[in-house]
Amino acid sequence: MGKVVYEKSAGLTDSPMSYCPGCLHGTIHKLVAESLVELGVLDRSVLVASVGCSVVAYQFYNCDAVQAAHGRAPAVATGIKRVSPESIVFTYQGDGDLAAIGTSEIIHAAHRGENITVIFVNNAIYGMTGGQMAPTTLITQKTSTSPKGRVENQAGLPMKVSEMMAQIPSSYYIERVSAHNVPNILKTKKAITKAFRNQIDGKGFSMVEILSTCPIGWHVTPVEATKFVESAMVPYFPLGVYKDEGEVRS
């Protein structure tokens, strides 16, 4: 049997990743890094890291980076892009960061049509802070703050961020993908590359939502976590392009 060799992207540093076994942040990091390298923009890219499990993302990307306060990554990215418009500016945010404390920032950045790229990782839970219920936690899904499962008449329905962002007039490109298996990883890479290309071409606000896992927070094995994405998350959060002004206008 041939030896499997992991090829590190030039867009990543040599720092060992600190994510839990079965977490897909590492996979998504590599896809983002590969896209920046292939597009030839790594040397002028700026990451705005969020608060959450990806709070130390700046250690892993081989480009400039800024750490933002919880939920404020789009606001920080806006400032960077406006003073340095030649830079390729992207935020990397989880659902607790973007869809909870950062809801205002992401909505208004899209309303302004800011020419930035948002990588939104949705694993339906607060991962870093103890596995609390997030805006995207599914009905009946158990968390540390919903030990009997999320109940609609108490917490409402899980927030569908891509559908919401697609309704904003000035958003340009919104797509939901997943990273739970190889075919979907390939589609995720394509979506990420397209989102960065939109920024290079000055098209405006692009967001890629990526369904991901949290085996530790979900209290399941990595294999069970990928099955949960397929059986529970994808049916509620359907994959696909929710808005592409390039397709509409072409």
Side-chain angles (χ1 to χ4, degrees):
M1 184 175 179
K3 182 180 179 181
V4 177
V5 178
Y6 172 80
E7 295 182 2
K8 182 180 76 68
S9 170
L12 297 175
T13 67
D14 292 326
S15 297
M17 290 195 179
S18 54
Y19 300 118
C20 301
C23 171
L24 297 178
H25 275 308
T27 299
I28 299 167
H29 280 7
K30 186 178 182 185
L31 298 179
V32 172
E34 286 177 345
S35 294
L36 294 173
V37 170
E38 291 167 9
L39 290 168
V41 297
L42 179 66
D43 61 342
R44 58 187 176 105
S45 294
V46 182
L47 157 71
V48 182
S50 66
V51 171
C53 291
S54 59
V55 69
V56 292
Y58 54 81
Q59 295 182 357
F60 309 132
Y61 283 101
N62 208 6
C63 64
D64 289 334
V66 176
Q67 176 63 55
H70 202 182
R72 280 31 176 195
V76 174
T78 295
I80 295 171
K81 187 67 177 182
R82 291 193 177 193
V83 300
S84 181
E86 73 282 359
S87 296
I88 302 304
V89 184
F90 68 101
T91 71
Y92 189 100
Q93 302 176 256
D95 46 286
D97 183 270
L98 181 147
I101 194 170
T103 313
S104 175
E105 279 74 13
I106 196 66
I107 288 175
H108 285 283
H111 264 291
R112 295 191 302 269
E114 300 293 345
N115 190 33
I116 61 174
T117 302
V118 175
I119 307 299
F120 167 44
V121 182
N122 175 4
N123 60 12
I125 201 170
Y126 279 85
M128 181 186 74
T129 55
Q132 298 93 339
M133 181 175 65
T136 52
T137 298
L138 299 176
I139 296 298
T140 74
Q141 186 177 352
K142 296 179 180 180
T143 71
S144 62
T145 52
S146 59
K148 295 183 179 180
R150 179 174 185 153
V151 179
E152 181 180 350
N153 63 9
Q154 293 178 339
L157 290 169
M159 184 182 294
K160 294 187 174 184
V161 175
S162 286
E163 288 86 337
M164 177 179 68
M165 299 301 290
Q167 302 306 309
I168 297 175
S170 296
S171 63
Y172 187 84
Y173 169 62
I174 309 293
E175 182 169 0
R176 181 186 289 128
V177 290
S178 181
H180 71 284
N181 60 27
V182 173
N184 281 289
I185 287 173
L186 296 176
K187 293 177 181 178
T188 298
K189 170 69 175 299
K190 184 177 179 181
I192 291 171
T193 300
K194 184 170 185 176
F196 279 123
R197 192 179 300 280
N198 286 341
Q199 184 177 168
I200 294 168
D201 294 340
K203 301 296 185 181
F205 182 93
S206 293
M207 187 191 81
V208 179
E209 176 181 353
I210 307 169
L211 301 186
S212 185
T213 57
C214 185
I216 301 300
W218 296 350
H219 301 289
V220 297
T221 67
V223 172
E224 290 170 335
T226 58
K227 291 180 179 178
F228 181 80
V229 173
E230 183 74 39
S231 64
M233 293 186 72
V234 171
Y236 187 82
F237 300 112
L239 308 181
V241 177
Y242 283 84
K243 187 175 186 180
D244 188 347
E245 286 295 310
E247 295 293 330
V248 172
R249 297 172 186 174
S250 61

